[in-house]
């Protein structure tokens, strides 16, 4: 895995890509919805547009440094009322098909045991050839020379972006037949967060925005099979 990360980052740099991140397919990046003063954000801005916005480059020391830490927030598998799940979901779509809409309960922001280490976005323009060696790369510090150890433990309130991490249903969790202890049923059951204070719908508008951008027909085509386990 580390060898893949290393070669991937080197290839992205050689292709002229500036910003990159090593997130999993069940992690989703968004501006921190609870700390709006950390970034200048307007509707429909992409993460890349936010990163390269001149106001944000001046405002954020992390963007200036080339390593932007993202507090990772773990979402569990407690179900919500279907009427809540379907809120703001465009006609023709089922909210339960989308992890970011179906799963609303999460760990406490300060729960480091559940949320684990932060993820980072790195500016590859700052990278040197020697940075792309396996001992210098890991998903929490993509380039160790740029990303310090302190980047891995950023507090939610200091994080300009966040990475929402979804466990999904048991069928989705268990789909890969991964026999490591952390993928067993006992570990999955620990993710049943139930505190009513820890619910989040910040990412919910994405689906309507996507439909508005590409049209209902294209959105339906691109999203067919979402959430299904074969």
């Amino acid at each position: 895995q580390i060898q893949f990360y290393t070669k991937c980052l080197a290839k992205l740099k050689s292709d002229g890509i500036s910003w990159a991140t090593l997130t999993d397919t069940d992690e989703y990046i968004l501006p921190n919805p609870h700390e709006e003063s950390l970034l200048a954000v307007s509707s429909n801005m992409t993460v890349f547009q936010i990163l390269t916005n001149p106001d944000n480059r001046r405002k954020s020391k992390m963007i200036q440094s080339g390593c932007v830490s993202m507090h990772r927030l773990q979402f569990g598998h407690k179900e919500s009322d279907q009427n809540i799940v379907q809120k703001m979901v465009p006609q023709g779509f089922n909210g339960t098909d989308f992890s970011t809409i179906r799963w609303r309960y999460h760990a406490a922001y300060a729960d480091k045991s559940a949320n684990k280490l932060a993820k980072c976005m790195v500016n590859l323009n700052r990278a040197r050839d020697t940075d792309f060696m396996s001992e210098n790369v890991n998903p929490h510090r993509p380039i160790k020379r740029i990303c310090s150890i302190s980047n891995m433990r950023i507090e939610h309130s200091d994080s300009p972006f966040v990475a929402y991490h979804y466990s999904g249903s048991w069928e989705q969790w268990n789909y890969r037949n991964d026999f490591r202890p952390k993928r067993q049923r006992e570990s999955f059951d620990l993710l049943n967060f139930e505190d009513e204070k820890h619910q989040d719908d910040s990412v919910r508008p994405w689906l309507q925005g996507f439909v508005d951008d590409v049209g209902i027909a294209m959105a339906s085509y691109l999203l067919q099979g979402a959430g299904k386990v074969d």
Side-chain angles (χ1 to χ4, degrees), residues 18-218:
S18 53
W19 286 93
T21 186
L22 301 176
T23 51
D24 299 331
T25 55
D26 55 4
E27 294 175 330
Y28 301 84
I29 301 171
L30 67 155
N32 190 331
H34 307 112
E35 301 294 337
E36 296 179 356
S37 63
L38 295 176
L39 292 169
V41 179
S42 60
S43 61
N44 298 325
M45 288 180 74
T46 65
V47 169
F48 180 74
Q49 288 170 335
I50 297 170
L51 283 170
T52 55
N53 180 285
D55 290 337
N56 287 326
R57 289 204 301 268
R58 289 190 295 267
K59 191 174 189 177
S60 172
K61 291 183 178 180
M62 268 196 278
I63 293 178
Q64 294 170 19
S65 75
C67 183
V68 178
S69 298
M70 300 179 291
H71 179 268
R72 187 161 60 158
L73 187 63
Q74 178 68 57
F75 282 72
H77 51 85
K78 175 178 170 58
E79 298 279 7
S80 297
D81 183 272
Q82 185 61 26
N83 291 326
I84 298 176
V85 172
Q86 204 62 20
K87 185 179 179 181
M88 297 176 64
V89 173
Q91 186 173 1
F93 292 93
N94 186 340
T96 59
D97 290 339
F98 305 97
S99 293
T100 50
I101 294 175
R102 178 178 180 179
W103 310 112
R104 306 173 53 254
Y105 288 82
H106 59 77
Y109 297 124
D111 188 344
K112 292 180 171 58
S113 175
N115 296 322
K116 310 299 184 185
L117 297 174
K119 290 296 183 75
C120 295
M121 294 184 282
V122 290
N123 188 340
L124 296 177
N125 292 328
R126 306 285 185 86
R128 304 169 183 167
D129 290 342
T130 53
D131 290 325
F132 302 120
M133 301 172 65
S134 59
E135 63 267 23
N136 293 330
V137 174
N138 79 52
H140 306 284
R141 293 175 67 194
I143 297 178
K144 292 183 179 180
R145 182 179 57 81
I146 300 174
C147 299
S148 67
I149 292 178
S150 62
N151 286 102
M152 301 167 67
R153 287 294 188 187
I154 189 170
E155 299 295 334
H156 182 82
S157 58
D158 297 325
S159 185
F161 293 89
V162 288
Y164 283 3
H165 185 207
Y166 293 85
S167 61
S169 65
W170 168 245
E171 290 73 24
Q172 293 167 331
W173 172 275
N174 195 46
Y175 178 69
R176 292 189 299 172
N177 293 320
D178 188 334
F179 294 104
R180 291 175 296 176
K182 69 178 183 178
R183 303 298 298 187
Q184 299 305 301
R185 183 73 198 213
E186 293 81 2
S187 300
F188 176 79
D189 289 341
L190 292 175
L191 301 176
N192 189 33
F193 310 117
E194 297 183 321
D195 194 328
E196 296 293 332
K197 295 182 295 184
H198 298 144
Q199 303 176 57
D200 194 294
D201 291 297
S202 302
V203 72
R204 181 172 296 274
W206 79 263
L207 183 53
Q208 183 62 64
F210 183 65
V211 170
D212 292 342
D213 282 346
V214 304
I216 185 67
M218 180 58 72

Side-chain angles (χ1 to χ4, degrees), residues 3-13 22 124 132:
Q3 290 181 347
F4 171 80
Y5 289 154
T6 302
K7 292 181 179 181
C8 179
L9 289 175
K11 179 65 165 60
L12 290 173
K13 180 174 174 61
L22 301 176
L124 296 177
F132 302 120

